[in-house]
């Protein structure tokens, strides 16, 4: 584990005590829209008339002075967040947030601003009944640490692929318990690399395993068919929040989220029309994607703004002190169609990130003063991911020179080299196993780039697949793979082949240590990366 200044509290004790002692909510006679110091709470005893918070809380998109707080009420209510740097909630500050209304499925988010950097923040979410402002919900408590402006050790995790291939919440197995494994490691934050849900993957009540035993899932109507309506997309996110491991994780670990294909449907791209899939009555994938994006933004603790040119951007960046900048990509919204991916010149059909996002990423990398630059990509670079028998889903298209979407990647890697941008590491998921790849220009077909590492993690609670074939265009060298070649497809979580990654940055040496771990939290592979000076 990384060395950090000691935190003088027990998170579990804090959350339990907050839930027990915080059941009475502030009923202040003077309510203002600005921050105020909390007074002693007044007790509301009738549970039926109180707003409920059935799916917990979450924190995300943290910076050194702000964080997004998310929650959902069970009825129209106003969101209130109370926070303190003291676990006993002395000198609490209260911030009044938006109304949770039906048009947002009663979800609400609040951007806590002007937070002290490098501090443990204790917070609780409360909902005020709109029909009777004297009635409040019971609070739900959480905690997170803001990034420090000065140098300190950093420890975070990443992974992807939740509730896929029919593997849902199995109470007999312990639910989605990989989230509990990660939570116990106490990371500063967690990057979810996409496939937060499987909107195209119905969950059935039971699955017969190879040995004849039965995997039993919790089921809901919205998760019993492919998602087409906004209600069904929302229901996919609600389904995951039925898992107590995820709710506990969300209360304690800030998350940075991106999306991939299964937030909409497998291998989707803008403008696609569904053929040969009778499960879908809605054939227009762009319409499905519009509904899926709304549900994603409603249920994720993500900061976004709508503007005329690029509504609700999912790509964004974060600074986590002087040692780390993070660049979250969106490899769905701006891509061209999945094709044979062999074009010799760049066109709209070869877009993957798209010209606007590429320009943004280059500018952000140029501006970055951080020692390490982590690019969170929802798809791997050199692994072949097919879409049918002839088309390709990711960057790679097979051995040989850069073609198709690889032209965009080649341009980016050339830019990084020619502008002397140091210490770039790629993190990804998508392929449902863990791996470490070292990209070596000395063994590549396209050679105009600096050597770099890419690390793959996942799945978090989905079927295990792979391993995929590596192509030689950018010279990836396989340093580790978590499953043997020939592994039978779609292994259930009960076989233990679930994986996530962690990253530690030592504030004294600046060394980045990347590890790949299994469901039990056992380290399968670890490598120390010294920074280029």
């Amino acid at each position: 584990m990384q060395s950090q200044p000691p935190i003088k509290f027990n998170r579990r004790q804090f959350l339990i005590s907050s839930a027990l002692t915080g059941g009475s909510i502030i009923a202040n006679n003077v309510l203002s829209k600005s921050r105020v110091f909390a007074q002693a709470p007044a007790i509301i005893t009738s549970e039926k008339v109180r707003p409920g918070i059935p799916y917990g809380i979450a924190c995300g998109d943290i910076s050194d002075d702000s964080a997004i707080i998310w929650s959902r009420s069970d009825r129209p209510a106003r969101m209130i967040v109370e926070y303190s740097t003291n676990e006993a909630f002395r000198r609490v500050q209260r911030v009044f947030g938006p109304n949770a209304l039906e048009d947002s499925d009663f979800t609400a988010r609040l951007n806590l601003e002007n937070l002290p950097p490098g501090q443990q923040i204790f917070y609780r979410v409360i909902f005020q009944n709109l029909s009777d402002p004297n009635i409040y919900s019971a609070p739900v408590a959480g905690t997170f640490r803001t990034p420090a402006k000065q140098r300190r050790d950093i420890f975070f995790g990443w992974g992807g692929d939740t509730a896929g291939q029919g593997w849902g919440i199995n109470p007999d197995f312990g639910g989605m318990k990989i989230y509990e494994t990660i939570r116990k490691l106490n990371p500063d934050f967690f990057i979810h690399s996409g496939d937060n849900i499987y909107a195209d993957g119905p969950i059935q009540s039971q699955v017969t395993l190879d040995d004849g035993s039965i995997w039993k899932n919790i089921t809901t109507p919205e998760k019993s068919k492919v998602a087409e309506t906004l209600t069904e997309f929302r229901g996919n996110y609600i389904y995951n929040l039925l898992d107590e491991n995820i709710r506990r994780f969300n209360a304690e670990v800030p998350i940075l989220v991106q999306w991939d294909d299964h937030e909409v449907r497998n291998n989707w791209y803008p403008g696609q029309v569904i053929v040969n899939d009778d499960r879908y009555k809605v054939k227009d994938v762009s319409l499905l994607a519009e509904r899926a994006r709304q549900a994603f933004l409603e249920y994720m603790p993500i900061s976004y703004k709508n503007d005329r040119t690029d509504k609700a951007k999912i790509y964004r960046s974060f600074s986590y002190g002087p040692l780390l900048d993070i660049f979250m990509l969106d490899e769905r919204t701006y891509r061209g169609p999945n094709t044979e991916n062999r074009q010799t010149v760049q066109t709209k059909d070869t877009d993957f990130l798209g010209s606007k996002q590429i320009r943004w990423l280059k500018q952000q990398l140029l501006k970055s003063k951080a020692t390490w630059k982590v690019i969170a990509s929802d798809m791997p670079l050199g692994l072949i991911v097919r879409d049918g028998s002839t088309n390709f889903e990711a960057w790679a298209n097979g051995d040989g020179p850069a073609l198709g979407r690889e032209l965009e990647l080649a341009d980016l890697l050339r830019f990084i080299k020619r502008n002397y941008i140091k210490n770039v590491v790629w993190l990804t998921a998508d392929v449902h196993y863990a791996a470490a790849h070292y990209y070596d220009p000395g063994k590549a077909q396209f050679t105009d780039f600096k050597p770099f590492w890419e690390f793959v993690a996942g799945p978090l609670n989905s079927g295990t697949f792979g391993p995929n074939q590596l192509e030689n265009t950018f010279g990836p060298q396989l340093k580790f793979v978590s499953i043997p070649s020939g592994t039978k497809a779609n292994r259930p979580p009960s076989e233990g082949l679930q994986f996530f990654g962690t990253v530690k940055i030592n504030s004294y040496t600046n060394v980045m240590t990347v590890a790949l771990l299994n469901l039990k939290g056992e380290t399968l592979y670890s490598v120390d990366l010294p920074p280029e000076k």
Side-chain angles (χ1 to χ4, degrees), residues 167-203:
W167 310 111
I169 303 168
N170 181 350
D172 295 339
F173 181 63
M176 299 188 190
K177 58 187 182 182
I178 195 168
Y179 281 90
E180 178 67 1
T181 301
I182 301 167
R183 184 196 67 84
K184 287 180 177 179
L185 295 179
N186 193 19
D188 293 315
F189 60 91
F190 186 83
I191 297 173
H192 199 297
S193 303
D195 293 341
N196 295 268
I197 61 168
Y198 280 71
D200 58 337
I203 298 291

Side-chain angles (χ1 to χ4, degrees), residues 59-80:
C59 169
D61 284 16
I62 56 173
S63 70
D64 58 11
D65 65 353
S66 68
I68 298 294
I69 306 298
W70 173 94
S71 190
R72 182 186 186 276
S73 175
D74 65 354
R75 69 195 72 188
R78 187 181 190 186
M79 186 186 199
I80 301 172

Side-chain angles (χ1 to χ4, degrees), residues 24 31 58 120 174 179 186 225 261 306 321 341 347 351 364 427 467:
S24 53
L31 297 182
Q120 195 72 34
Y179 281 90
N186 193 19
K225 66 177 293 293
D261 56 337
N306 289 323
N341 202 22
T347 67
D351 280 351
Q364 294 297 309
L427 301 181

Side-chain angles (χ1 to χ4, degrees), residues 123-196:
Y123 72 97
R124 53 196 179 198
V125 174
I126 304 154
F127 280 100
Q128 180 187 35
N129 196 319
L130 292 183
S131 61
D132 188 340
N134 293 314
I135 297 176
Y136 298 79
S137 72
V140 177
T143 186
F144 62 92
R145 176 179 286 273
T146 53
K149 290 187 176 181
Q150 70 276 17
R151 301 168 66 85
R152 76 168 182 89
D153 292 359
I154 299 171
F155 176 59
F156 68 94
W158 92 94
D161 318 310
T162 301
Q165 293 74 48
W167 310 111
I169 303 168
N170 181 350
D172 295 339
F173 181 63
M176 299 188 190
K177 58 187 182 182
I178 195 168
Y179 281 90
E180 178 67 1
T181 301
I182 301 167
R183 184 196 67 84
K184 287 180 177 179
L185 295 179
N186 193 19
D188 293 315
F189 60 91
F190 186 83
I191 297 173
H192 199 297
S193 303
D195 293 341
N196 295 268

